[in-house]
Amino acid sequence: MPGQRSITQAEKLAEAKLGGIPVRHEQMAVVANIYRAASAVRQHLENSVLRGADLTWTAFVVLWVVWIWGESETRHVAEEAGISKGTLTGVSRTLEKRGLLRRAGHPTDGRLVLLSLTEEGEELMRRVFPAFNEEEAFVAAQLDVDECRSVADGLRRVVLQVEEHGEERRLALLDGAAPAPRRSGRRPQP
Amino acid sequence: MPGQRSITQAEKLAEAKLGGIPVRHEQMAVVANIYRAASAVRQHLENSVLRGADLTWTAFVVLWVVWIWGESETRHVAEEAGISKGTLTGVSRTLEKRGLLRRAGHPTDGRLVLLSLTEEGEELMRRVFPAFNEEEAFVAAQLDVDECRSVADGLRRVVLQVEEHGEERRLALLDGAAPAPRRSGRRPQP
DNA sequence: TCCGTACAATTTGGAGCCGAACGACATCTG
DNA sequence: CAGATGTCGTTCGGCTCCAAATTGTACGGA
């Protein structure tokens, strides 16, 4: 089992590298495996069901959110899909061009844009989602239902921890220092 | 707790949408939460320790792999870091320009390139990794050590399942059909 | 020695993605 | 009711990422 062994070995090597400074092994293993699992799952789903429907992971997630929640404002969709507003603008326009998504202005608030599925989009989701869910079951096949529940619950606690305390934690770490702006991002007008 | 509720609710809505077609709830929840957790963790780490060191997640992972494993061939580093060889070429050159990474030809096989950390790179990792690990502990703070172990173990089983059976599964799904090329990426020559 | 095949990293092109700046609109306030 | 303030979605710069095409190197046979 390469995953198991290589991570354990990496941890030991890391400890050696740090020369006695304590490493939080279990927490490190959780983070490493969260990321590995996310990549593996995404790759598998993109290369199986999504590729066939000509959808990227992000595009599928956006369609899924709108499908489940019904007509929604873009900021909620971005939030729920876990992408930035800027990304959603591009993705939703691509999906609109393909006739899967509708973009409509809000009747009373001119700032808002509402997203909803077209009939074609609904059809697509009715067809693709069962296959998607089947592959979700495939990737989780080594876990029984109780294990699924407990892993999902543990991950939820991680998400909540970051959502609820992440901001304050980051501020505490910076300790008043400038937030060090990201390298990318739009430049100010001259 | 928005995470818990919205996912559960989404599942119920999905079931309704499918009109009786059974949904594998637990497996769906696992996949959804793996992805949510991965995004949350990555975002938190990028915006706390990595931003300060002017590193992206990918750049950090590459440095970490080379740091832990010592001088390595690029294909192994790409594999271990979970990125494509093409991506690694760009990332490693950026890190080389910053003086953190060394790229050297293999002494006997001219096709290979070996990566290793410069002294400056070693110093950076000795400084950044403890802070990184601290934040790993922060995001996992709602889990005790045993829970960390069991979540990590469950995730490892997901990774293994995909690594060991993913390829055959994808082939079975396609059932001999053409693998449907990706939309992005370089176009075939006419 | 000169191919042909195999396998390495790199180049290239298209899409994705984030987050700061921006402009349009809404709403509060004096 | 005009200006300040706030809140949207959009724009845009800089990366990231993948995978096909390409380039370069190795090596086993003719």
Side-chain angles (χ1 to χ4, degrees), chain A residues 119-154:
Chain A
E119 182 47 38
E120 194 182 343
E122 294 266 354
E123 266 169 41
L124 181 78
M125 289 308 284
R126 276 195 295 268
R127 184 164 55 77
V128 170
F129 177 74
F132 189 92
N133 188 237
E134 197 96 350
E135 293 314 301
E136 291 181 314
F138 165 75
V139 302
Q142 299 299 324
L143 306 176
D144 65 33
V145 169
D146 276 343
E147 291 170 327
C148 280
R149 269 196 273 265
S150 92
V151 170
D153 179 63

PDB file of all heavy atoms in Angstrom, chain A residues 119-154:
ATOM      1  N   GLU A 119     -34.303  23.843 -19.684  1.00  0.00           N
ATOM      2  CA  GLU A 119     -34.852  22.482 -19.749  1.00  0.00           C
ATOM      3  C   GLU A 119     -33.743  21.505 -20.151  1.00  0.00           C
ATOM      4  O   GLU A 119     -33.624  20.408 -19.599  1.00  0.00           O
ATOM      5  CB  GLU A 119     -36.022  22.420 -20.736  1.00  0.00           C
ATOM      6  CG  GLU A 119     -36.675  21.044 -20.818  1.00  0.00           C
ATOM      7  CD  GLU A 119     -36.972  20.420 -19.447  1.00  0.00           C
ATOM      8  OE1 GLU A 119     -37.382  21.128 -18.490  1.00  0.00           O
ATOM      9  OE2 GLU A 119     -36.748  19.200 -19.308  1.00  0.00           O
ATOM     10  N   GLU A 120     -32.894  21.946 -21.070  1.00  0.00           N
ATOM     11  CA  GLU A 120     -31.783  21.107 -21.496  1.00  0.00           C
ATOM     12  C   GLU A 120     -30.832  20.825 -20.332  1.00  0.00           C
ATOM     13  O   GLU A 120     -30.338  19.705 -20.179  1.00  0.00           O
ATOM     14  CB  GLU A 120     -31.024  21.805 -22.634  1.00  0.00           C
ATOM     15  CG  GLU A 120     -30.061  20.905 -23.372  1.00  0.00           C
ATOM     16  CD  GLU A 120     -29.286  21.658 -24.463  1.00  0.00           C
ATOM     17  OE1 GLU A 120     -29.716  22.773 -24.860  1.00  0.00           O
ATOM     18  OE2 GLU A 120     -28.244  21.147 -24.896  1.00  0.00           O
ATOM     19  N   GLY A 121     -30.636  21.840 -19.518  1.00  0.00           N
ATOM     20  CA  GLY A 121     -29.787  21.654 -18.348  1.00  0.00           C
ATOM     21  C   GLY A 121     -30.397  20.656 -17.365  1.00  0.00           C
ATOM     22  O   GLY A 121     -29.697  19.800 -16.809  1.00  0.00           O
ATOM     23  N   GLU A 122     -31.686  20.769 -17.154  1.00  0.00           N
ATOM     24  CA  GLU A 122     -32.379  19.821 -16.269  1.00  0.00           C
ATOM     25  C   GLU A 122     -32.224  18.395 -16.790  1.00  0.00           C
ATOM     26  O   GLU A 122     -31.919  17.473 -16.031  1.00  0.00           O
ATOM     27  CB  GLU A 122     -33.881  20.161 -16.200  1.00  0.00           C
ATOM     28  CG  GLU A 122     -34.214  21.491 -15.551  1.00  0.00           C
ATOM     29  CD  GLU A 122     -34.538  21.350 -14.058  1.00  0.00           C
ATOM     30  OE1 GLU A 122     -34.615  20.208 -13.566  1.00  0.00           O
ATOM     31  OE2 GLU A 122     -34.693  22.407 -13.402  1.00  0.00           O
ATOM     32  N   GLU A 123     -32.414  18.243 -18.083  1.00  0.00           N
ATOM     33  CA  GLU A 123     -32.277  16.916 -18.686  1.00  0.00           C
ATOM     34  C   GLU A 123     -30.874  16.362 -18.465  1.00  0.00           C
ATOM     35  O   GLU A 123     -30.695  15.203 -18.096  1.00  0.00           O
ATOM     36  CB  GLU A 123     -32.537  16.981 -20.191  1.00  0.00           C
ATOM     37  CG  GLU A 123     -33.963  16.671 -20.584  1.00  0.00           C
ATOM     38  CD  GLU A 123     -34.216  17.001 -22.047  1.00  0.00           C
ATOM     39  OE1 GLU A 123     -33.336  16.704 -22.872  1.00  0.00           O
ATOM     40  OE2 GLU A 123     -35.283  17.600 -22.330  1.00  0.00           O
ATOM     41  N   LEU A 124     -29.898  17.223 -18.706  1.00  0.00           N
ATOM     42  CA  LEU A 124     -28.515  16.799 -18.513  1.00  0.00           C
ATOM     43  C   LEU A 124     -28.294  16.291 -17.097  1.00  0.00           C
ATOM     44  O   LEU A 124     -27.708  15.226 -16.880  1.00  0.00           O
ATOM     45  CB  LEU A 124     -27.558  17.954 -18.817  1.00  0.00           C
ATOM     46  CG  LEU A 124     -26.080  17.606 -18.672  1.00  0.00           C
ATOM     47  CD1 LEU A 124     -25.597  16.813 -19.875  1.00  0.00           C
ATOM     48  CD2 LEU A 124     -25.232  18.857 -18.494  1.00  0.00           C
ATOM     49  N   MET A 125     -28.765  17.050 -16.122  1.00  0.00           N
ATOM     50  CA  MET A 125     -28.535  16.656 -14.732  1.00  0.00           C
ATOM     51  C   MET A 125     -29.271  15.369 -14.385  1.00  0.00           C
ATOM     52  O   MET A 125     -28.750  14.529 -13.654  1.00  0.00           O
ATOM     53  CB  MET A 125     -28.958  17.781 -13.780  1.00  0.00           C
ATOM     54  CG  MET A 125     -28.042  18.977 -13.817  1.00  0.00           C
ATOM     55  SD  MET A 125     -26.301  18.541 -13.585  1.00  0.00           S
ATOM     56  CE  MET A 125     -26.239  18.235 -11.823  1.00  0.00           C
ATOM     57  N   ARG A 126     -30.466  15.209 -14.908  1.00  0.00           N
ATOM     58  CA  ARG A 126     -31.193  13.960 -14.630  1.00  0.00           C
ATOM     59  C   ARG A 126     -30.437  12.763 -15.187  1.00  0.00           C
ATOM     60  O   ARG A 126     -30.492  11.668 -14.645  1.00  0.00           O
ATOM     61  CB  ARG A 126     -32.603  14.024 -15.244  1.00  0.00           C
ATOM     62  CG  ARG A 126     -33.619  14.733 -14.351  1.00  0.00           C
ATOM     63  CD  ARG A 126     -35.048  14.457 -14.812  1.00  0.00           C
ATOM     64  NE  ARG A 126     -35.307  15.007 -16.136  1.00  0.00           N
ATOM     65  CZ  ARG A 126     -35.811  16.212 -16.367  1.00  0.00           C
ATOM     66  NH1 ARG A 126     -36.099  17.007 -15.354  1.00  0.00           N
ATOM     67  NH2 ARG A 126     -36.024  16.628 -17.596  1.00  0.00           N
ATOM     68  N   ARG A 127     -29.717  13.012 -16.271  1.00  0.00           N
ATOM     69  CA  ARG A 127     -28.966  11.931 -16.901  1.00  0.00           C
ATOM     70  C   ARG A 127     -27.606  11.722 -16.215  1.00  0.00           C
ATOM     71  O   ARG A 127     -27.208  10.599 -15.924  1.00  0.00           O
ATOM     72  CB  ARG A 127     -28.763  12.285 -18.375  1.00  0.00           C
ATOM     73  CG  ARG A 127     -28.074  11.230 -19.207  1.00  0.00           C
ATOM     74  CD  ARG A 127     -28.285  11.497 -20.693  1.00  0.00           C
ATOM     75  NE  ARG A 127     -27.859  12.846 -21.074  1.00  0.00           N
ATOM     76  CZ  ARG A 127     -26.583  13.215 -21.241  1.00  0.00           C
ATOM     77  NH1 ARG A 127     -25.623  12.351 -21.044  1.00  0.00           N
ATOM     78  NH2 ARG A 127     -26.277  14.449 -21.597  1.00  0.00           N
ATOM     79  N   VAL A 128     -26.917  12.846 -15.924  1.00  0.00           N
ATOM     80  CA  VAL A 128     -25.533  12.741 -15.444  1.00  0.00           C
ATOM     81  C   VAL A 128     -25.458  12.444 -13.949  1.00  0.00           C
ATOM     82  O   VAL A 128     -24.592  11.688 -13.515  1.00  0.00           O
ATOM     83  CB  VAL A 128     -24.757  14.031 -15.781  1.00  0.00           C
ATOM     84  CG1 VAL A 128     -23.400  14.040 -15.090  1.00  0.00           C
ATOM     85  CG2 VAL A 128     -24.594  14.157 -17.291  1.00  0.00           C
ATOM     86  N   PHE A 129     -26.355  13.011 -13.163  1.00  0.00           N
ATOM     87  CA  PHE A 129     -26.196  12.858 -11.724  1.00  0.00           C
ATOM     88  C   PHE A 129     -26.201  11.405 -11.250  1.00  0.00           C
ATOM     89  O   PHE A 129     -25.354  11.025 -10.427  1.00  0.00           O
ATOM     90  CB  PHE A 129     -27.227  13.659 -10.931  1.00  0.00           C
ATOM     91  CG  PHE A 129     -27.099  13.433  -9.467  1.00  0.00           C
ATOM     92  CD1 PHE A 129     -26.052  13.999  -8.752  1.00  0.00           C
ATOM     93  CD2 PHE A 129     -27.978  12.591  -8.793  1.00  0.00           C
ATOM     94  CE1 PHE A 129     -25.890  13.750  -7.400  1.00  0.00           C
ATOM     95  CE2 PHE A 129     -27.819  12.328  -7.442  1.00  0.00           C
ATOM     96  CZ  PHE A 129     -26.778  12.908  -6.753  1.00  0.00           C
ATOM     97  N   PRO A 130     -27.118  10.578 -11.741  1.00  0.00           N
ATOM     98  CA  PRO A 130     -27.068   9.187 -11.275  1.00  0.00           C
ATOM     99  C   PRO A 130     -25.724   8.522 -11.568  1.00  0.00           C
ATOM    100  O   PRO A 130     -25.182   7.804 -10.720  1.00  0.00           O
ATOM    101  CB  PRO A 130     -28.197   8.520 -12.067  1.00  0.00           C
ATOM    102  CG  PRO A 130     -29.147   9.628 -12.358  1.00  0.00           C
ATOM    103  CD  PRO A 130     -28.288  10.835 -12.598  1.00  0.00           C
ATOM    104  N   ALA A 131     -25.169   8.796 -12.734  1.00  0.00           N
ATOM    105  CA  ALA A 131     -23.856   8.234 -13.056  1.00  0.00           C
ATOM    106  C   ALA A 131     -22.788   8.794 -12.122  1.00  0.00           C
ATOM    107  O   ALA A 131     -21.893   8.074 -11.665  1.00  0.00           O
ATOM    108  CB  ALA A 131     -23.501   8.545 -14.512  1.00  0.00           C
ATOM    109  N   PHE A 132     -22.894  10.087 -11.830  1.00  0.00           N
ATOM    110  CA  PHE A 132     -21.945  10.731 -10.925  1.00  0.00           C
ATOM    111  C   PHE A 132     -22.022  10.081  -9.547  1.00  0.00           C
ATOM    112  O   PHE A 132     -21.004   9.703  -8.957  1.00  0.00           O
ATOM    113  CB  PHE A 132     -22.279  12.222 -10.838  1.00  0.00           C
ATOM    114  CG  PHE A 132     -21.266  13.045 -10.115  1.00  0.00           C
ATOM    115  CD1 PHE A 132     -20.225  13.662 -10.800  1.00  0.00           C
ATOM    116  CD2 PHE A 132     -21.344  13.228  -8.740  1.00  0.00           C
ATOM    117  CE1 PHE A 132     -19.287  14.438 -10.139  1.00  0.00           C
ATOM    118  CE2 PHE A 132     -20.408  13.998  -8.069  1.00  0.00           C
ATOM    119  CZ  PHE A 132     -19.377  14.603  -8.770  1.00  0.00           C
ATOM    120  N   ASN A 133     -23.236   9.930  -9.074  1.00  0.00           N
ATOM    121  CA  ASN A 133     -23.417   9.341  -7.749  1.00  0.00           C
ATOM    122  C   ASN A 133     -22.901   7.898  -7.693  1.00  0.00           C
ATOM    123  O   ASN A 133     -22.350   7.456  -6.689  1.00  0.00           O
ATOM    124  CB  ASN A 133     -24.905   9.400  -7.371  1.00  0.00           C
ATOM    125  CG  ASN A 133     -25.170   8.985  -5.932  1.00  0.00           C
ATOM    126  OD1 ASN A 133     -25.931   8.081  -5.655  1.00  0.00           O
ATOM    127  ND2 ASN A 133     -24.502   9.675  -4.984  1.00  0.00           N
ATOM    128  N   GLU A 134     -23.062   7.207  -8.797  1.00  0.00           N
ATOM    129  CA  GLU A 134     -22.534   5.841  -8.906  1.00  0.00           C
ATOM    130  C   GLU A 134     -21.012   5.833  -8.701  1.00  0.00           C
ATOM    131  O   GLU A 134     -20.464   4.970  -8.026  1.00  0.00           O
ATOM    132  CB  GLU A 134     -22.866   5.294 -10.302  1.00  0.00           C
ATOM    133  CG  GLU A 134     -22.762   3.815 -10.432  1.00  0.00           C
ATOM    134  CD  GLU A 134     -24.115   3.138 -10.248  1.00  0.00           C
ATOM    135  OE1 GLU A 134     -25.097   3.820  -9.830  1.00  0.00           O
ATOM    136  OE2 GLU A 134     -24.189   1.955 -10.508  1.00  0.00           O
ATOM    137  N   GLU A 135     -20.358   6.812  -9.297  1.00  0.00           N
ATOM    138  CA  GLU A 135     -18.899   6.874  -9.145  1.00  0.00           C
ATOM    139  C   GLU A 135     -18.515   7.342  -7.751  1.00  0.00           C
ATOM    140  O   GLU A 135     -17.459   6.969  -7.235  1.00  0.00           O
ATOM    141  CB  GLU A 135     -18.281   7.783 -10.206  1.00  0.00           C
ATOM    142  CG  GLU A 135     -18.410   7.243 -11.615  1.00  0.00           C
ATOM    143  CD  GLU A 135     -18.039   5.772 -11.699  1.00  0.00           C
ATOM    144  OE1 GLU A 135     -16.902   5.424 -11.356  1.00  0.00           O
ATOM    145  OE2 GLU A 135     -18.910   4.965 -12.083  1.00  0.00           O
ATOM    146  N   GLU A 136     -19.342   8.168  -7.150  1.00  0.00           N
ATOM    147  CA  GLU A 136     -19.085   8.518  -5.750  1.00  0.00           C
ATOM    148  C   GLU A 136     -19.100   7.250  -4.908  1.00  0.00           C
ATOM    149  O   GLU A 136     -18.249   7.045  -4.032  1.00  0.00           O
ATOM    150  CB  GLU A 136     -20.142   9.505  -5.246  1.00  0.00           C
ATOM    151  CG  GLU A 136     -20.023  10.886  -5.877  1.00  0.00           C
ATOM    152  CD  GLU A 136     -21.073  11.861  -5.353  1.00  0.00           C
ATOM    153  OE1 GLU A 136     -22.263  11.501  -5.258  1.00  0.00           O
ATOM    154  OE2 GLU A 136     -20.698  13.008  -5.071  1.00  0.00           O
ATOM    155  N   ALA A 137     -20.053   6.388  -5.202  1.00  0.00           N
ATOM    156  CA  ALA A 137     -20.124   5.131  -4.474  1.00  0.00           C
ATOM    157  C   ALA A 137     -18.894   4.271  -4.776  1.00  0.00           C
ATOM    158  O   ALA A 137     -18.352   3.609  -3.881  1.00  0.00           O
ATOM    159  CB  ALA A 137     -21.396   4.377  -4.852  1.00  0.00           C
ATOM    160  N   PHE A 138     -18.439   4.334  -6.011  1.00  0.00           N
ATOM    161  CA  PHE A 138     -17.248   3.545  -6.362  1.00  0.00           C
ATOM    162  C   PHE A 138     -16.030   3.992  -5.571  1.00  0.00           C
ATOM    163  O   PHE A 138     -15.315   3.161  -4.996  1.00  0.00           O
ATOM    164  CB  PHE A 138     -16.969   3.653  -7.867  1.00  0.00           C
ATOM    165  CG  PHE A 138     -15.593   3.179  -8.241  1.00  0.00           C
ATOM    166  CD1 PHE A 138     -15.290   1.832  -8.269  1.00  0.00           C
ATOM    167  CD2 PHE A 138     -14.587   4.091  -8.542  1.00  0.00           C
ATOM    168  CE1 PHE A 138     -14.024   1.386  -8.594  1.00  0.00           C
ATOM    169  CE2 PHE A 138     -13.316   3.660  -8.867  1.00  0.00           C
ATOM    170  CZ  PHE A 138     -13.026   2.297  -8.893  1.00  0.00           C
ATOM    171  N   VAL A 139     -15.777   5.288  -5.532  1.00  0.00           N
ATOM    172  CA  VAL A 139     -14.561   5.732  -4.843  1.00  0.00           C
ATOM    173  C   VAL A 139     -14.642   5.449  -3.344  1.00  0.00           C
ATOM    174  O   VAL A 139     -13.613   5.282  -2.695  1.00  0.00           O
ATOM    175  CB  VAL A 139     -14.262   7.236  -5.072  1.00  0.00           C
ATOM    176  CG1 VAL A 139     -14.126   7.551  -6.548  1.00  0.00           C
ATOM    177  CG2 VAL A 139     -15.303   8.116  -4.422  1.00  0.00           C
ATOM    178  N   ALA A 140     -15.852   5.365  -2.815  1.00  0.00           N
ATOM    179  CA  ALA A 140     -16.003   5.105  -1.380  1.00  0.00           C
ATOM    180  C   ALA A 140     -16.245   3.626  -1.098  1.00  0.00           C
ATOM    181  O   ALA A 140     -16.618   3.256   0.016  1.00  0.00           O
ATOM    182  CB  ALA A 140     -17.152   5.938  -0.822  1.00  0.00           C
ATOM    183  N   ALA A 141     -15.976   2.796  -2.080  1.00  0.00           N
ATOM    184  CA  ALA A 141     -16.359   1.387  -1.955  1.00  0.00           C
ATOM    185  C   ALA A 141     -15.652   0.659  -0.820  1.00  0.00           C
ATOM    186  O   ALA A 141     -16.143  -0.357  -0.328  1.00  0.00           O
ATOM    187  CB  ALA A 141     -16.114   0.656  -3.274  1.00  0.00           C
ATOM    188  N   GLN A 142     -14.486   1.151  -0.405  1.00  0.00           N
ATOM    189  CA  GLN A 142     -13.755   0.485   0.672  1.00  0.00           C
ATOM    190  C   GLN A 142     -14.261   0.885   2.057  1.00  0.00           C
ATOM    191  O   GLN A 142     -13.725   0.429   3.068  1.00  0.00           O
ATOM    192  CB  GLN A 142     -12.257   0.774   0.583  1.00  0.00           C
ATOM    193  CG  GLN A 142     -11.605   0.282  -0.702  1.00  0.00           C
ATOM    194  CD  GLN A 142     -11.722  -1.218  -0.865  1.00  0.00           C
ATOM    195  OE1 GLN A 142     -11.658  -1.954   0.115  1.00  0.00           O
ATOM    196  NE2 GLN A 142     -11.946  -1.666  -2.099  1.00  0.00           N
ATOM    197  N   LEU A 143     -15.255   1.772   2.077  1.00  0.00           N
ATOM    198  CA  LEU A 143     -15.814   2.184   3.365  1.00  0.00           C
ATOM    199  C   LEU A 143     -17.247   1.680   3.470  1.00  0.00           C
ATOM    200  O   LEU A 143     -18.021   1.800   2.518  1.00  0.00           O
ATOM    201  CB  LEU A 143     -15.828   3.716   3.461  1.00  0.00           C
ATOM    202  CG  LEU A 143     -14.504   4.443   3.220  1.00  0.00           C
ATOM    203  CD1 LEU A 143     -14.719   5.957   3.254  1.00  0.00           C
ATOM    204  CD2 LEU A 143     -13.476   4.033   4.248  1.00  0.00           C
ATOM    205  N   ASP A 144     -17.602   1.127   4.627  1.00  0.00           N
ATOM    206  CA  ASP A 144     -19.011   0.785   4.792  1.00  0.00           C
ATOM    207  C   ASP A 144     -19.784   2.046   5.160  1.00  0.00           C
ATOM    208  O   ASP A 144     -19.205   3.119   5.333  1.00  0.00           O
ATOM    209  CB  ASP A 144     -19.179  -0.334   5.831  1.00  0.00           C
ATOM    210  CG  ASP A 144     -18.750   0.093   7.231  1.00  0.00           C
ATOM    211  OD1 ASP A 144     -18.915   1.288   7.563  1.00  0.00           O
ATOM    212  OD2 ASP A 144     -18.236  -0.749   7.982  1.00  0.00           O
ATOM    213  N   VAL A 145     -21.080   1.909   5.260  1.00  0.00           N
ATOM    214  CA  VAL A 145     -21.916   3.100   5.437  1.00  0.00           C
ATOM    215  C   VAL A 145     -21.576   3.859   6.722  1.00  0.00           C
ATOM    216  O   VAL A 145     -21.515   5.083   6.732  1.00  0.00           O
ATOM    217  CB  VAL A 145     -23.406   2.707   5.410  1.00  0.00           C
ATOM    218  CG1 VAL A 145     -24.273   3.867   5.849  1.00  0.00           C
ATOM    219  CG2 VAL A 145     -23.808   2.276   4.001  1.00  0.00           C
ATOM    220  N   ASP A 146     -21.309   3.128   7.790  1.00  0.00           N
ATOM    221  CA  ASP A 146     -20.957   3.799   9.045  1.00  0.00           C
ATOM    222  C   ASP A 146     -19.629   4.545   8.925  1.00  0.00           C
ATOM    223  O   ASP A 146     -19.478   5.660   9.443  1.00  0.00           O
ATOM    224  CB  ASP A 146     -20.863   2.780  10.188  1.00  0.00           C
ATOM    225  CG  ASP A 146     -22.230   2.502  10.797  1.00  0.00           C
ATOM    226  OD1 ASP A 146     -23.139   3.330  10.559  1.00  0.00           O
ATOM    227  OD2 ASP A 146     -22.380   1.475  11.486  1.00  0.00           O
ATOM    228  N   GLU A 147     -18.696   3.923   8.256  1.00  0.00           N
ATOM    229  CA  GLU A 147     -17.402   4.600   8.078  1.00  0.00           C
ATOM    230  C   GLU A 147     -17.568   5.847   7.228  1.00  0.00           C
ATOM    231  O   GLU A 147     -16.967   6.886   7.499  1.00  0.00           O
ATOM    232  CB  GLU A 147     -16.400   3.628   7.441  1.00  0.00           C
ATOM    233  CG  GLU A 147     -15.988   2.506   8.378  1.00  0.00           C
ATOM    234  CD  GLU A 147     -15.184   1.408   7.694  1.00  0.00           C
ATOM    235  OE1 GLU A 147     -15.430   1.115   6.494  1.00  0.00           O
ATOM    236  OE2 GLU A 147     -14.317   0.827   8.358  1.00  0.00           O
ATOM    237  N   CYS A 148     -18.381   5.749   6.199  1.00  0.00           N
ATOM    238  CA  CYS A 148     -18.676   6.942   5.391  1.00  0.00           C
ATOM    239  C   CYS A 148     -19.195   8.056   6.284  1.00  0.00           C
ATOM    240  O   CYS A 148     -18.750   9.205   6.198  1.00  0.00           O
ATOM    241  CB  CYS A 148     -19.735   6.620   4.335  1.00  0.00           C
ATOM    242  SG  CYS A 148     -19.098   5.791   2.881  1.00  0.00           S
ATOM    243  N   ARG A 149     -20.134   7.709   7.121  1.00  0.00           N
ATOM    244  CA  ARG A 149     -20.725   8.725   7.985  1.00  0.00           C
ATOM    245  C   ARG A 149     -19.674   9.347   8.884  1.00  0.00           C
ATOM    246  O   ARG A 149     -19.629  10.559   9.075  1.00  0.00           O
ATOM    247  CB  ARG A 149     -21.846   8.105   8.827  1.00  0.00           C
ATOM    248  CG  ARG A 149     -23.203   8.213   8.154  1.00  0.00           C
ATOM    249  CD  ARG A 149     -24.316   7.952   9.163  1.00  0.00           C
ATOM    250  NE  ARG A 149     -24.619   6.526   9.263  1.00  0.00           N
ATOM    251  CZ  ARG A 149     -25.597   5.929   8.585  1.00  0.00           C
ATOM    252  NH1 ARG A 149     -26.362   6.632   7.785  1.00  0.00           N
ATOM    253  NH2 ARG A 149     -25.808   4.639   8.724  1.00  0.00           N
ATOM    254  N   SER A 150     -18.809   8.519   9.437  1.00  0.00           N
ATOM    255  CA  SER A 150     -17.883   9.085  10.423  1.00  0.00           C
ATOM    256  C   SER A 150     -16.788   9.905   9.730  1.00  0.00           C
ATOM    257  O   SER A 150     -16.360  10.941  10.242  1.00  0.00           O
ATOM    258  CB  SER A 150     -17.333   7.987  11.330  1.00  0.00           C
ATOM    259  OG  SER A 150     -16.130   7.473  10.835  1.00  0.00           O
ATOM    260  N   VAL A 151     -16.369   9.457   8.542  1.00  0.00           N
ATOM    261  CA  VAL A 151     -15.389  10.266   7.809  1.00  0.00           C
ATOM    262  C   VAL A 151     -16.015  11.597   7.398  1.00  0.00           C
ATOM    263  O   VAL A 151     -15.415  12.664   7.583  1.00  0.00           O
ATOM    264  CB  VAL A 151     -14.865   9.501   6.568  1.00  0.00           C
ATOM    265  CG1 VAL A 151     -14.051  10.427   5.680  1.00  0.00           C
ATOM    266  CG2 VAL A 151     -14.028   8.311   6.996  1.00  0.00           C
ATOM    267  N   ALA A 152     -17.213  11.532   6.852  1.00  0.00           N
ATOM    268  CA  ALA A 152     -17.885  12.764   6.432  1.00  0.00           C
ATOM    269  C   ALA A 152     -18.058  13.707   7.622  1.00  0.00           C
ATOM    270  O   ALA A 152     -17.846  14.921   7.509  1.00  0.00           O
ATOM    271  CB  ALA A 152     -19.248  12.440   5.814  1.00  0.00           C
ATOM    272  N   ASP A 153     -18.388  13.133   8.768  1.00  0.00           N
ATOM    273  CA  ASP A 153     -18.576  13.957   9.959  1.00  0.00           C
ATOM    274  C   ASP A 153     -17.265  14.616  10.387  1.00  0.00           C
ATOM    275  O   ASP A 153     -17.222  15.806  10.707  1.00  0.00           O
ATOM    276  CB  ASP A 153     -19.130  13.094  11.091  1.00  0.00           C
ATOM    277  CG  ASP A 153     -19.320  13.899  12.361  1.00  0.00           C
ATOM    278  OD1 ASP A 153     -20.137  14.834  12.319  1.00  0.00           O
ATOM    279  OD2 ASP A 153     -18.624  13.618  13.355  1.00  0.00           O
ATOM    280  N   GLY A 154     -16.197  13.856  10.352  1.00  0.00           N
ATOM    281  CA  GLY A 154     -14.900  14.428  10.710  1.00  0.00           C
ATOM    282  C   GLY A 154     -14.520  15.562   9.764  1.00  0.00           C
ATOM    283  O   GLY A 154     -14.036  16.615  10.195  1.00  0.00           O
TER     284      GLY A 154
END
